[in-house]
Amino acid sequence: MKTPTKVISKITSKNQVTVPQSIREVLKVGSNDSIQWMIGANGDVTVKNANDNLWGVVKEQEAIYGSVDTPEVDWGPDVESEDL
């Protein structure tokens, strides 16, 4: 979405909210998917798709634990390449 769009949802008596179709389309979520609510210091709330994305998880863990990329091990010459 290029310009801010106002979308309103109603909270039910059981404190449930239906995520409007336009929001589901932007987040690319459907039934049984998860969304993440983030509360900013100023009280603003943002919602994002919380479905596990392998490369997203890798990026988050790499930021915490560092890169797990290691150089390839040099095992020496291939034994099968010897001429008998």
Side-chain angles (χ1 to χ4, degrees), residues 12-34:
T12 69
S13 60
K14 294 182 179 183
N15 291 318
Q16 297 173 330
V17 176
T18 299
V19 179
Q21 180 178 357
S22 58
I23 303 297
R24 293 192 313 266
E25 289 172 356
V26 169
L27 296 177
K28 297 179 179 148
V29 294
S31 48
N32 296 320
D33 285 336
S34 298

Side-chain angles (χ1 to χ4, degrees), residues 7-80:
V7 180
I8 297 174
S9 296
K10 184 176 181 180
I11 301 172
T12 69
S13 60
K14 294 182 179 183
N15 291 318
Q16 297 173 330
V17 176
T18 299
V19 179
Q21 180 178 357
S22 58
I23 303 297
R24 293 192 313 266
E25 289 172 356
V26 169
L27 296 177
K28 297 179 179 148
V29 294
S31 48
N32 296 320
D33 285 336
S34 298
I35 54 176
Q36 179 179 20
W37 302 81
M38 295 175 290
I39 305 169
N42 60 357
D44 287 345
V45 176
T46 56
V47 181
K48 72 177 205 173
N49 183 334
N51 293 320
D52 290 335
N53 171 338
L54 174 63
W55 296 113
V57 172
V58 169
K59 187 175 181 179
E60 289 175 9
Q61 290 184 351
E62 193 173 62
I64 297 169
Y65 303 110
S67 177
V68 295
D69 190 20
T70 58
E72 187 173 335
V73 175
D74 182 10
W75 297 101
D78 189 4
V79 174
E80 294 177 1

